[in-house]
Amino acid sequence: DAFLCTTEFNKQKLMEAGVEEKRIFIKPNYLDISNIEPSYGNGDYIIFLGRLSPEKGLWTLIRAFERLKDLRLCIVGTGPLEQTLRTYIQEKELKNISLEGFKQGAEKDNLLRNALFMVFPSEWYEHFPIVLLEAFAYGKPVVSSNIGNMPLIVEHKKSGLHFKAGDADDLIEKIKTLIHNPTEISKMGMYARKEMETKYTPEINYKILKSIFEKVSSSP
């Protein structure tokens, strides 16, 4: 009777696949932030959080930080690239890049809270990554690739910056832009947290879902 998708981009893809527009409803992902205290503009490293696989843009990220030797990169997660990345980092003696492995609970929370901002360099279409909402919840802007859903979740120059997917030079430029403008990091982080509070809470999500059910159940 109906299809739920998380963004307008996903809606367009469903329509391209032949689904009638009237049967498609948008309901984003959400996150409970009631126990998350934001930390604006604080941190001494940049964080990546996600699966360590080629499509996530890890090599673009590594290539960028090979040249950003004065900046620390904290990579949190596990996946098929983990050992390859670890070997590469050791062989190249990239002292500014650390692989933290899989983290959850308080450990993950602390890593997010103490980061300056997040980089999300994915090179394929993502659905609606919860890690973006986690960054927003802690008041952290996101430097994200500019494909698929990411530009609809991370607003350029508001809750973060966009760079061309797979382009290490552009990623470096955007990271430097934030590093050289610490007040912008705080400002974007505050905007990101406000987005969480006004769009992506469980209460708001419930209202959206309830409204969709009511529309579908009352349609002929």
Side-chain angles (χ1 to χ4, degrees):
D1 294 315
F3 293 83
L4 294 186
C5 56
T6 53
T7 69
E8 181 65 34
F9 178 82
N10 287 347
K11 177 181 175 180
Q12 293 301 318
K13 288 297 176 187
L14 283 176
M15 289 169 62
E16 287 174 19
V19 179
E20 294 177 288
E21 183 175 9
K22 66 180 183 180
R23 297 173 67 198
I24 305 172
F25 298 87
I26 296 174
K27 186 193 78 66
N29 280 338
Y30 66 93
L31 186 69
D32 182 2
I33 60 172
S34 57
N35 293 318
I36 296 177
E37 196 68 36
S39 175
Y40 304 117
N42 299 316
D44 59 357
Y45 55 83
I46 297 155
I47 193 169
F48 167 89
L49 180 60
R51 180 171 163 79
L52 307 188
S53 51
E55 68 278 0
K56 293 291 188 177
L58 268 303
W59 287 116
T60 301
L61 187 63
I62 295 294
R63 286 198 301 273
F65 277 86
E66 277 189 89
R67 293 156 56 192
L68 294 168
K69 293 188 183 297
D70 293 335
L71 299 178
R72 285 181 59 205
L73 171 65
C74 180
I75 296 175
V76 182
T78 188
L81 272 184
E82 183 172 2
Q83 191 52 53
T84 304
L85 291 173
R86 197 175 297 280
T87 300
Y88 186 85
I89 290 165
Q90 290 171 348
E91 289 177 351
K92 295 288 186 177
E93 297 183 344
L94 303 176
K95 306 293 187 184
N96 61 322
I97 303 176
S98 65
L99 288 174
E100 301 293 332
F102 176 76
K103 300 294 181 185
Q104 59 185 345
E107 281 188 299
K108 185 179 79 170
D109 293 343
N110 287 330
L111 285 165
L112 277 166
R113 185 180 295 108
N114 295 317
L116 261 179
F117 55 87
M118 178 181 285
V119 177
F120 192 85
S122 194
E123 292 168 14
W124 70 348
Y125 291 157
E126 296 278 352
H127 186 56
F128 196 115
I130 294 294
V131 294
L132 299 181
L133 298 186
E134 289 175 325
F136 288 179
Y138 282 98
K140 308 300 177 180
V142 178
V143 178
S144 78
S145 49
N146 62 350
I147 59 172
N149 284 322
M150 273 84 83
L152 297 175
I153 304 167
V154 179
E155 292 184 64
H156 188 55
K157 296 185 177 179
K158 290 185 176 180
S159 54
L161 296 174
H162 300 159
F163 75 97
K164 185 179 178 182
D167 190 333
D169 291 334
D170 196 22
L171 175 55
I172 289 169
E173 181 186 327
K174 297 308 189 298
I175 289 172
K176 285 182 174 179
T177 296
L178 282 187
I179 291 296
H180 295 152
N181 295 278
T183 55
E184 282 298 301
I185 296 176
S186 296
K187 184 179 175 183
M188 289 181 183
M190 290 176 186
Y191 183 92
R193 173 70 186 204
K194 197 70 178 175
E195 286 286 277
M196 279 299 310
E197 294 170 355
T198 56
K199 291 183 180 180
Y200 304 123
T201 66
E203 294 80 13
I204 293 168
N205 208 269
Y206 170 75
K207 288 178 181 178
I208 295 170
L209 184 60
K210 187 170 183 285
S211 173
I212 292 168
F213 277 127
E214 288 170 352
K215 287 175 183 175
V216 174
S217 63
S218 63
S219 64

